[in-house]
Amino acid sequence: MAAKLASAHPSRLTLVSAGILALGVVLPLMMAVTISLNPDEQAILIEMGTISAFIPHVVSAQNYIEVLTDPVHPFIRYFFNTVLITFSTLILSILFNSMAAFVLAHGTIAGRKVLLALILATLVVPAESLVLPQLMMASWTGLIDSYEVQIIPGVASAMSIFLFYQFFSRLPKELIEAARVDGFSFFQVYRYIAMPLSRPVISAIAVLQFLEIWNSYLWPIMVTRGPEYRPLSVAMSAYFSTNQASWGNIMAFAVCMAIPVVLFFLVIQKQFIASVVSSGVKG
């Protein structure tokens, strides 16, 4: 009996902890959606801080229409910029980082271990400390206020190289050698054998980098000057600074910005969870 009670406590504690964490995530989302559906700014200010702020009792698309048709803050333009920058960076990052990791795992160049150690050492360098040198380089090359200056610096990722390296180094050497005996070149082994097998790793990296790039703020605000190339994250801060913007519009903007992130995760969640589970089993 005592053993049963002892075994029951951890499960109850786990459920309570999971419930608290879920509330911590769900309640702010509920509040954002509730406010975004209320066109009455005075009512929003009165209900702010009360339980009514979490319960939708007015459903109106007025805030969303105002956000999507705002000529001062062109949401569609910001959305296009964000999608272009995010997916371009993501595709190039997966391509180049996986190639680098495959060379480090199965290449014949000298000093691969040292090179990998140097790459991993960059993980301890704060990204903010590199902003000023990168800004000077972007200014020298004339890339300020462009898509390129927001895409190129985000392509190289030490963490992505490390995750790909871990996966590629676990591939059976017999599989690599058999492909080489069959006439595959080194690049063909990477293209037709290693990459198709690394879908779970690609999914995990895609989710992590998608969130990072989609929500990036410091670098875009330093290298963009207007709405032509600015992403949603920078536009959101500009939205806060205007006198005309209301809480309803701000929350509608935030919900519109979050929807693609949720959809992306729902599409890729199966592969992402499989990657996490397999990493846990093997680790």
Side-chain angles (χ1 to χ4, degrees), residues 21 29 81 130 139:
L21 288 174
L29 291 175
N81 293 343
L130 303 176
S139 179

Side-chain angles (χ1 to χ4, degrees), residues 171-182 184 189 193-194 197:
L171 291 177
K173 290 185 178 179
E174 294 79 8
L175 182 64
I176 307 295
E177 292 171 355
R180 298 303 298 270
V181 170
D182 288 341
F184 278 39
V189 174
I193 295 178
L197 292 174

Side-chain angles (χ1 to χ4, degrees), residues 227-255:
E228 187 175 4
Y229 296 104
R230 277 187 168 170
L232 286 168
S233 55
V234 178
M236 183 78 182
S237 65
Y239 218 77
F240 266 107
S241 63
T242 57
N243 296 325
Q244 295 84 1
S246 64
W247 282 110
N249 292 50
I250 292 172
M251 289 300 110
F253 193 103
V255 171

Side-chain angles (χ1 to χ4, degrees), residues 56-80:
H57 51 276
V58 178
V59 179
S60 171
Q62 181 179 331
N63 292 327
Y64 289 92
I65 294 173
E66 290 177 358
V67 166
L68 296 176
T69 59
D70 188 348
V72 180
H73 301 286
F75 183 89
I76 302 300
R77 180 71 191 186
Y78 293 136
F79 182 79
F80 171 79

Side-chain angles (χ1 to χ4, degrees), residues 33-282:
V33 173
T34 300
I35 294 175
S36 70
L37 295 174
N38 191 347
D40 189 345
E41 185 66 14
Q42 291 299 322
I44 292 174
L45 294 175
I46 293 172
E47 295 172 355
M48 193 84 74
T50 67
I51 193 67
S52 299
F54 299 94
I55 304 172
H57 51 276
V58 178
V59 179
S60 171
Q62 181 179 331
N63 292 327
Y64 289 92
I65 294 173
E66 290 177 358
V67 166
L68 296 176
T69 59
D70 188 348
V72 180
H73 301 286
F75 183 89
I76 302 300
R77 180 71 191 186
Y78 293 136
F79 182 79
F80 171 79
N81 293 343
T82 308
V83 170
L84 179 64
I85 293 166
T86 301
F87 282 96
S88 298
T89 307
L90 198 57
I91 292 170
L92 292 175
S93 177
I94 290 173
L95 177 63
F96 286 108
N97 291 327
S98 63
M99 292 174 69
F102 191 71
V103 170
L104 291 172
H106 297 284
T108 57
I109 61 173
R112 286 183 293 139
K113 299 294 183 183
V114 175
L115 187 57
L116 178 63
L118 291 174
I119 292 173
L120 294 180
T122 62
L123 289 173
V124 302
V125 179
E128 289 77 8
S129 64
L130 303 176
V131 167
L132 185 57
Q134 289 179 334
L135 182 62
M136 294 174 66
M137 293 171 65
S139 179
W140 291 338
T141 54
L143 292 178
I144 294 293
D145 208 19
S146 66
Y147 290 124
E148 292 87 344
V149 76
Q150 299 179 78
I151 294 172
I152 295 173
V155 171
S157 170
M159 180 56 71
S160 297
I161 293 175
F162 176 64
L163 293 176
F164 272 118
Y165 174 82
Q166 276 196 314
F167 179 81
F168 290 149
S169 61
R170 291 174 182 169
L171 291 177
K173 290 185 178 179
E174 294 79 8
L175 182 64
I176 307 295
E177 292 171 355
R180 298 303 298 270
V181 170
D182 288 341
F184 278 39
S185 66
F186 186 76
F187 178 77
Q188 287 175 324
V189 174
Y190 157 80
R191 169 67 181 84
Y192 296 106
I193 295 178
M195 284 304 284
L197 292 174
S198 62
R199 288 181 181 176
V201 183
I202 293 175
S203 302
I205 292 173
V207 170
L208 297 175
Q209 287 204 318
F210 183 91
L211 294 174
E212 181 182 350
I213 301 167
W214 188 272
N215 296 316
S216 63
Y217 175 76
L218 180 60
W219 181 246
I221 198 172
M222 293 182 69
V223 297
T224 57
R225 300 293 180 263
E228 187 175 4
Y229 296 104
R230 277 187 168 170
L232 286 168
S233 55
V234 178
M236 183 78 182
S237 65
Y239 218 77
F240 266 107
S241 63
T242 57
N243 296 325
Q244 295 84 1
S246 64
W247 282 110
N249 292 50
I250 292 172
M251 289 300 110
F253 193 103
V255 171
C256 290
M257 183 177 171
I259 288 175
V261 179
V262 176
L263 294 177
F264 182 80
F265 181 75
L266 291 177
V267 170
I268 209 168
Q269 66 168 337
K270 187 175 180 181
Q271 292 288 338
F272 177 72
I273 294 172
S275 172
V276 173
V277 171
S278 62
S279 299
V281 172
K282 292 175 182 176

